[in-house]
Amino acid sequence: MSAASPPGVLHLYRHILKAAKYFPSKKRTSIIREIKEEFRSNKTLSDPDRIAHCRVLAERGLSDLQAYVPAGAGAGAGAGGHTHSMLGGDISITLKGATTQSW
């Protein structure tokens, strides 16, 4: 993305890296390296459509990674159960899993 990156790109990048630290894989280090390389290779993008596409993919990746972030770890939008506005709209992240039911 261009020298004047669209608002929120650095914020998104940092949250992805923080969430990736919790990804349970032997290849976690190489995954983090690939994330960094991907952002670096796209830092000179100037086409607004391409930037928007890459941003959507990054936000989707963050959403996927947040499933592995422990509650209260503070590594992104889903860790505290709040939302972030990155594309001009709100992205709401909810955890899937067991629910509590009263019998």
Side-chain angles (χ1 to χ4, degrees):
M1 305 186 203
S2 66
S5 294
V9 172
L10 183 57
H11 180 77
L12 177 61
Y13 174 70
R14 288 177 179 160
H15 281 289
I16 291 172
L17 289 178
K18 287 178 184 179
K21 290 178 184 179
Y22 294 98
F23 189 69
S25 172
K26 293 179 182 179
K27 298 180 180 184
R28 179 177 38 234
T29 303
S30 64
I31 290 169
I32 291 171
R33 183 174 46 247
E34 289 176 23
I35 291 167
K36 290 178 180 180
E37 289 172 4
E38 185 76 20
F39 270 83
R40 285 184 189 129
S41 70
N42 289 323
K43 73 179 181 179
T44 58
L45 288 179
S46 58
D47 176 28
D49 292 333
R50 182 74 179 135
I51 292 170
H53 175 73
C54 289
R55 192 173 196 157
V56 167
L57 292 177
E59 289 172 346
R60 192 176 303 152
L62 175 58
S63 179
D64 292 345
L65 286 170
Q66 286 174 335
Y68 302 100
V69 177
H82 57 279
T83 61
H84 279 285
S85 175
M86 300 205 185
L87 286 176
D90 286 338
I91 297 174
S92 179
I93 312 237
T94 58
L95 297 177
K96 295 179 183 176
T99 59
T100 306
Q101 294 180 338
S102 298
W103 297 98

